[in-house]
Amino acid sequence: MQTVSSYGVEIRKQNIPIRQTLEIYRQAVSYLTEIYEQVWAELKMIPEAKKRFNAAEHLIHTTKKNHAHFDFDIRFPKMPSYLRRAAIQHALGSVSSYESRMEQWEAAGELSGKPNFTCENHAMPVFYRDVMYREGTEGKDEAYLKLYDGHDWRWFRVCLSHTDMEYLRRNWYGKKASAPALEKRHHKYFLRFSYTEEVTLTQTPVKEQIICSVDLGINTDVVCTIMRADGTVLGRKFIDFPSEKDRMYRTLGRIRRFQREHGSAQAGGRWAYTRRLNIELSRKIAGAVAEYARENHADVIVFEYLEMNGKISGSKRQK
């Protein structure tokens, strides 16, 4: 079985044109999306994905009868070929998704909820190795990216977070990483590397497996129970992070007081901070559960099923 792990390395602040590169890439995706929506009737007649992609790439460089002059190279000169193909693939996927949703909506005969076609996107470029990304000197926290400076595509040296690079060296040294993708989180830019591993699953017969049962709670975060397949309980552990929850509850209290005075429209930043606290808490809980299961040689982790549909009422709806 293959598992894919990823890790984001922060790009330290410096004078590099990441924003310009991201802007021109998204403009290219929007431009291509608009083109392919106009000629989708022709493209969808090509069943094979590779041939459809080749036809779409050929289209943006030529003039076709009954269509406008789609000259991609004039609007986006010298764009690296790998980045152009990534933009084509993203645009084709956007148009195909819209057309599929539109067909389903028409077949259902719905009067509301009609899918909207938009060329705006939040696509993030992938820096393919050798042509868009080069590793820096071994042991140094740096890399080289090909970026658009407003006039041309040039190589720029970027500094990477030392702690992030130390983590990769310690845990993924010698492993082959995929081409890094640009990512933006909390007003910071990251290069996200992905690693693929071959993992052998347990060969223990089902009736002989050890189970780690996880029950999510309100007063405690989770309760982990180690048991055999016949129900024999071997151990139990209550996992709780009270300080992290207290911090989150304090921010929720501040939000309630703020909204009473100023309304909910201005509380977006406070809610975003609270969501980040909640995400960090969930990561700590997941790590603690996995560690407890590993310590007890569990073959499988089983979670209870929670019905999350519908609106939850009551004083504990936030929890």
Side-chain angles (χ1 to χ4, degrees), residues 172-196:
W172 298 100
Y173 179 78
K175 303 290 182 61
K176 181 65 175 179
S178 64
L182 185 66
E183 183 181 74
K184 186 177 182 182
R185 289 187 286 115
H186 316 318
H187 307 289
K188 296 180 180 179
Y189 290 99
F190 297 79
L191 287 177
R192 180 157 294 277
F193 296 87
S194 297
Y195 299 86
T196 303

Side-chain angles (χ1 to χ4, degrees), residues 187-242:
H187 307 289
K188 296 180 180 179
Y189 290 99
F190 297 79
L191 287 177
R192 180 157 294 277
F193 296 87
S194 297
Y195 299 86
T196 303
E197 293 181 292
E198 287 289 342
V199 177
T200 303
L201 299 180
T202 178
Q203 302 298 322
T204 306
V206 174
K207 293 185 178 181
E208 299 178 9
Q209 289 184 359
I210 296 177
I211 304 166
C212 178
S213 173
V214 181
D215 293 323
L216 302 180
I218 296 297
N219 297 323
T220 59
D221 294 327
V222 295
V223 181
C224 295
T225 304
I226 303 297
M227 62 176 64
R228 291 195 177 100
D230 59 1
T232 304
V233 176
L234 303 177
R236 182 176 285 112
K237 182 178 182 180
F238 295 85
I239 297 176
D240 196 24
F241 293 90

